[in-house]
Amino acid sequence: MSQIRSGEFSPGEPIPSLQEIAAGLRVSQMTARQAIRALCDQGLMYSKQGKGTFVSGIKHEKSARQVLSFTEEMRAHGSAPSSKVLSFRLQAGTREVRSALKMKPGQKVFRLRRIRYSDGLPMGIECSCLPQQLCPDLLETFDPSTSLYETLADQYGIHMEVTDEVVEAGSATAEEAALLKIAPGTPVLLFTRTCYAENGKPLEFVKSTYRGDRYKIVQRLRRAKRDVLASTPKVHIPQRRLRAVAPF
Ligand code: GLP
């Protein structure tokens, strides 16, 4: 682990053979095999069938400069995105969702909850809500194991142009830990995001739990001129994140 963390092994590099590791660390091959398995479970390494074991890219950079889909973000890093759908249904919006999406009482939302993977390793859980009237037949048109943003763009001409995003530190609940293959209580990043069209119409409200050991947030900040500071638009800040089992 310390050799990976120190950068001695680069992401994507194959690890040395079991014999070399055992000899180098002066442990039995059984101990070395167990250690490799533990590092794979933690996401620091991954095995490709028939090809061997490789070092993972430890932390993905989550850009705070651009609106990207999970699929785009992973592809930009040369990783293969995939998803496991936990639920996908039409339901009444909670008050929080209705308020973020500026919906009237009684209007429904599509709620999609997925585990997102990079090269087969769990990165996070995303729970998106979209107003029904935006994409009325989404349940039929969207294969939830593929890119939501691609379907919204291709089938409905919907483009996420602007987002308000709030990031908080948290610790994985027992359910999240089991889904993300981490120990309960492990640090996670909690994202709450509202996406808008260019004209300011709210399109998506999302709560995500990302593994703290797999992400770092990268930003470029520029010092504003004094007159600009006064006119900076207000970010939509959602209510404080509650750590319930189902995010909403
Ligand atoms: C990002 C956003 C989510 C969005 C998702 C769509 O991860 N934070 O709000 O739902 O992308 O990703 P995809 O198009 O890969 O389904």
Side-chain angles (χ1 to χ4, degrees):
M1 188 189 283
S2 60
Q3 283 174 312
I4 294 174
R5 292 219 189 279
S6 69
E8 211 167 303
F9 296 115
S10 327
E13 195 179 307
I15 63 164
S17 70
L18 196 63
Q19 291 80 350
E20 284 172 289
I21 293 175
L25 297 175
R26 288 200 227 121
V27 295
S28 72
Q29 288 193 14
M30 201 174 77
T31 304
R33 191 175 295 115
Q34 279 169 354
I36 291 169
R37 203 171 300 141
L39 292 173
C40 284
D41 286 345
Q42 287 174 43
L44 292 171
M45 294 177 183
Y46 61 97
S47 297
K48 275 194 178 167
Q49 219 172 358
K51 293 203 171 138
T53 305
F54 300 84
V55 175
S56 308
I58 295 185
K59 284 196 177 182
H60 277 260
E61 290 183 2
K62 206 164 177 24
S63 170
R65 302 173 201 162
Q66 262 182 310
V67 180
L68 291 175
S69 71
F70 182 84
T71 303
E72 289 167 338
E73 225 173 69
M74 291 306 123
R75 288 190 182 143
H77 288 104
S79 309
S82 59
S83 309
K84 181 177 175 193
V85 182
L86 299 171
S87 62
F88 181 32
R89 57 174 180 256
L90 186 62
Q91 65 175 52
T94 60
R95 191 185 300 177
E96 185 189 18
V97 171
R98 286 205 314 269
S99 144
L101 295 177
K102 300 202 171 60
M103 291 165 59
K104 299 195 181 82
Q107 288 185 329
K108 292 192 169 167
V109 289
F110 293 108
R111 179 182 181 274
L112 170 65
R113 190 162 184 247
R114 297 181 287 179
I115 310 177
R116 312 299 311 255
Y117 300 88
S118 160
D119 292 326
L121 289 170
M123 302 294 286
I125 303 162
E126 293 180 339
C127 189
S128 298
C129 282
L130 302 125
Q132 181 189 13
Q133 68 268 27
L134 270 187
C135 39
D137 52 355
L138 192 68
L139 287 178
E140 288 86 58
T141 55
F142 175 50
D143 168 359
S145 61
T146 63
S147 168
L148 174 65
Y149 283 9
E150 252 169 57
T151 301
L152 290 174
D154 296 349
Q155 304 273 338
Y156 304 95
I158 294 172
H159 301 276
M160 310 286 173
E161 300 288 354
V162 179
T163 77
D164 286 342
E165 199 161 70
V166 176
V167 191
E168 293 168 75
S171 51
T173 62
E175 190 231 12
E176 289 166 340
L179 297 174
L180 296 176
K181 298 207 163 52
I182 50 180
T186 302
V188 287
L189 294 167
L190 306 173
F191 278 73
T192 307
R193 161 163 164 158
T194 312
C195 301
Y196 306 89
E198 194 60 82
N199 63 6
K201 187 176 166 176
L203 304 171
E204 187 195 27
F205 181 69
V206 193
K207 284 192 177 182
S208 314
T209 302
Y210 294 111
R211 283 177 53 159
D213 62 338
R214 304 284 287 139
Y215 274 107
K216 59 182 158 198
I217 300 163
V218 179
Q219 318 192 33
R220 169 171 291 175
L221 307 177
R222 193 182 293 276
R223 187 160 179 83
K225 308 253 173 343
R226 283 192 77 82
D227 51 332
V228 178
L229 269 177
S231 63
T232 302
K234 252 199 138 96
V235 171
H236 168 82
I237 309 277
Q239 68 188 48
R240 196 161 168 270
R241 183 86 177 248
L242 297 172
R243 306 297 291 127
V245 169
F248 55 94

